Amino acid sequence: MHVSRWARAASALQALIVAAGLLPASALAAPAEPRTIDLRWEAPDGCPPVDEVRSEIARLLGASEQRQPIEVEIAVARKRGARLRLDLRIRAPAPGERVIHGHDCAAMSRAAALIVAMSIDPDAVARNAAAQPAQPAQPAQPAQPEAADAPVPSAPRPPPPASAQPPSPAERDLEGALWVSAQVEQALVPAIGVGLAAGGGIRSGWFRADGAAGVVPSSSSRIAGTAAGAEFRLWFLEVDACARALERPLGVYVCALGRQHWLLARGREVDEAFTRTAPIFAAGLGTLVERRIAAPLKIEGALHVVAPLRRPRFVVENVEGTVYRPPAAGLSARLGLALAF
C-alpha cells in the first residue's frame, strides 16, 4: 500500500511529541540524591546488620526531601541473661540520647530506626505510614454456587510484637554504674593529697545514689620552726545522694554527702615514735558532672565542700606546738570513668 510523504511526516511528528512528553517523566523518575546519614552500629551476634538498619530508615523516610546530614551512634549490649540494652545517641544536627531495653534485638533495631527517621523528617514518616498498602488478600478460591454472593472477609492485620512497644519509663530510666577515679583531697589532710577512689550506685530518673571508698596515701606536716612532724594517711567511706539539675549536653547533679574518715599520723623526726588514728565524720555539698563518651562509658567529675564535725589536734609529746588540726572546711574533688549497666 502506498503511503504519502505527508502521512509519513504526520507519523514522525506524532512520535516526536510522544517522545518529548516522555522525557520529563523519565527525568522526574530519576532517583533522588541520597540523604547523608552517618550511622555507627555496634551489636552482638544475632542482631540485624547495619545495612538492614539503614534500609529500614530509608523505607520509613521514603521520598523525603530532607537533605540535612545526621550523625547517629547506636550500640546494643547484652545485660543479665537474654536482656538487651540499646543506647542511641544523635550527635548532629540536634544532640539527643535514648535508651531502649528489651529481649528482641530485631524489634529494638526497628524502634531505633524509627527514632532516627522521626528526627530527620517526622512528616515524611507519618505520610509513609499512612500510605502503606494493606496486606494483599489471598487468591480467591472458586466460589460455590450457593456462596457466590457472599462477601470475602479481609485478613486482619497482625498486632505489633510486644517487644517493639516503647519501654516503660521505670524500666528505661533505672540503671546501675561502677566507677573509679583519681581523688584530690584538701579538706582532711595537711597538704593537698592525691589518691584513689572507687564506687558504684544507681540512677533512676532525676535521682542518683552512690557509695564509695578511697585512700589518700601520703601527706605531711610539721611543727612550725622545728623538724618534728608527722606523715598522714587518710581512708574514707562515703555515701552520696544527688538530684539532676541539667541533663543535656552534660548531666549536672547537685549532691549531698556523708563521709567517715580515718586519719592516721606517724611521727617524723621525733624522739619517740608514735602512731595515732583519729576517726572523723564529715558532711559536704557540691556538684557532679557526667558526659557519655561511648556507650556504656562515661566520664565523671565531682567537686565538694567538706566540713568535719570534729577537729582533733595532732601533737608531739614533749614538743610544744601542734603538728596538724583539720580546718573547719575544705575541698574534695575526683575525676574518673564510670561504666553504666
Side-chain angles (χ1 to χ4, degrees), residues 73-160:
E73 293 179 0
I74 303 175
V76 183
R78 293 197 181 277
K79 298 183 68 178
R80 294 178 294 272
R83 192 167 175 77
L84 298 169
R85 172 191 170 104
L86 184 148
D87 288 272
L88 185 151
R89 185 176 185 183
I90 299 176
R91 289 186 174 275
E97 295 182 14
R98 181 70 182 272
V99 177
I100 301 174
H101 297 275
H103 296 85
D104 187 340
C105 191
M108 295 168 67
S109 67
R110 290 194 296 271
L114 176 60
I115 295 171
V116 174
M118 290 289 289
S119 67
I120 295 173
D121 191 346
D123 294 334
V125 175
R127 288 194 304 269
N128 292 332
Q132 287 293 326
Q135 293 186 348
Q138 298 295 329
Q141 299 295 330
Q144 299 297 330
E146 65 273 17
D149 296 332
V152 179
S154 59
R157 282 182 183 269

Side-chain angles (χ1 to χ4, degrees), residues 311-337:
R311 300 167 57 203
R313 291 181 182 272
F314 291 84
V315 298
V316 176
E317 189 174 353
N318 299 325
V319 179
E320 185 178 353
T322 300
V323 177
Y324 174 65
R325 185 186 185 192
L331 296 176
S332 176
R334 67 177 177 87
L335 179 65
L337 296 174

Side-chain angles (χ1 to χ4, degrees), residues 17-311:
I17 293 173
V18 172
L22 288 176
L23 284 174
S26 63
L28 290 175
E33 180 186 352
R35 280 171 294 272
T36 303
I37 302 177
D38 182 3
L39 174 61
R40 301 178 188 176
W41 170 259
E42 297 179 9
D45 294 339
C47 288
V50 64
D51 291 340
E52 187 173 321
V53 180
R54 291 182 185 275
S55 298
E56 178 66 10
I57 296 172
R59 184 190 70 81
L60 291 166
L61 289 172
S64 168
E65 295 297 329
Q66 293 288 345
R67 297 290 184 271
Q68 188 174 24
I70 183 170
E71 296 180 21
V72 184
E73 293 179 0
I74 303 175
V76 183
R78 293 197 181 277
K79 298 183 68 178
R80 294 178 294 272
R83 192 167 175 77
L84 298 169
R85 172 191 170 104
L86 184 148
D87 288 272
L88 185 151
R89 185 176 185 183
I90 299 176
R91 289 186 174 275
E97 295 182 14
R98 181 70 182 272
V99 177
I100 301 174
H101 297 275
H103 296 85
D104 187 340
C105 191
M108 295 168 67
S109 67
R110 290 194 296 271
L114 176 60
I115 295 171
V116 174
M118 290 289 289
S119 67
I120 295 173
D121 191 346
D123 294 334
V125 175
R127 288 194 304 269
N128 292 332
Q132 287 293 326
Q135 293 186 348
Q138 298 295 329
Q141 299 295 330
Q144 299 297 330
E146 65 273 17
D149 296 332
V152 179
S154 59
R157 282 182 183 269
S163 58
Q165 301 297 326
S168 65
E171 182 183 28
R172 184 175 63 247
D173 289 343
L174 182 63
E175 70 174 20
L178 296 174
W179 54 264
V180 61
S181 65
Q183 183 80 21
V184 179
E185 192 73 24
Q186 182 267 333
L188 271 296
V189 290
I192 295 176
V194 178
L196 185 68
I202 59 170
R203 291 98 168 100
S204 179
W206 55 268
F207 175 77
R208 66 176 280 173
D210 290 89
V215 59
V216 178
S218 180
S219 184
S220 62
S221 181
R222 66 181 183 176
I223 299 174
T226 72
E231 293 285 342
F232 291 85
R233 179 174 297 177
L234 180 72
W235 289 273
F236 64 85
L237 294 176
E238 178 180 318
V239 176
D240 299 74
C242 305
R244 187 170 60 206
L246 181 65
E247 183 174 7
R248 292 173 185 165
L250 298 174
V252 179
Y253 292 82
V254 177
C255 302
L257 67 84
R259 187 192 286 178
Q260 179 62 53
H261 303 80
W262 290 269
L263 185 58
L264 170 66
R266 286 193 175 97
R268 186 186 67 177
E269 301 291 337
V270 294
D271 295 335
E272 296 184 10
F274 72 91
T275 299
R276 179 187 176 189
T277 301
I280 306 172
F281 184 81
L285 291 174
T287 184
L288 182 145
V289 178
E290 65 178 13
R291 181 178 178 84
R292 189 180 299 274
I293 53 178
L297 200 61
K298 298 180 180 180
I299 184 169
E300 294 188 346
L303 178 65
H304 296 91
V305 176
V306 179
L309 301 189
R310 61 183 295 261
R311 300 167 57 203

